Amino acid sequence: MVVVGGRCQGGAMPMPQDPASRYDRRNTPLVRVVDAVPDDAWDAPSPCEGWSAADVLQHLVDTQRTFLLTNGASLPDPAPVVAQGPALAWRTHSEAVARALADPRVGEAPYETPFGVSTVGQVLDDFYGFDMVVLRWDVARATGGDTSIADAELDTLDVDIAEQSALV
């Protein structure tokens, strides 16, 4: 079975395409990297100039929160703070995001993009999901973790980029 863009090819059952499932597919490898980071490595400089590994993770929390809160999601208040425990902060945040996306009033809500109407869930997957893969690599690189990106993830990113390019 080959997975391309979240779709199975070769006669296998398709993967769930609801927003929460798509988010989970992007989040699972990130959780593995975050959980593997030693406590004393979070201050290590990342490939993002001027940012530590913890700064990169906080950026993911902050950008996803801002997007979802401005689009009808209910998320924990106060926001998780990576400096107070990165793994717990990410899990708290990502579990809340998955719950929000599972609510069709959020995940399936229309969202106007420069390329036309999409949904909050699709925009989160296409744009912020891309960040989850790329910035996972940054955290892993900074902390000596696993920097691998699966072929299926690269295929999904290729499809996402191609779909967005076709709209321009």
Side-chain angles (χ1 to χ4, degrees), residues 12-28:
M13 279 185 72
M15 297 175 84
Q17 292 302 308
D18 62 280
S21 294
R22 291 192 317 262
Y23 184 82
D24 185 57
R25 283 194 293 278
R26 305 263 195 180
N27 187 46
T28 298

Side-chain angles (χ1 to χ4, degrees), residues 107-163:
E108 299 298 332
Y111 184 83
E112 191 72 38
T113 76
F115 311 109
V117 177
S118 186
T119 65
V120 169
Q122 190 64 53
V123 170
L124 190 84
D125 185 46
D126 291 344
F127 184 76
Y128 298 92
F130 182 89
D131 269 4
M132 290 170 74
V133 175
V134 174
L135 297 180
R136 178 184 89 218
W137 183 90
D138 291 339
V139 168
R141 178 71 187 244
T143 61
D146 179 7
T147 58
S148 64
I149 299 175
D151 289 343
E153 289 178 286
L154 293 173
D155 291 343
T156 298
L157 293 177
D158 282 346
V159 169
D160 291 347
I161 292 167
E163 287 173 352

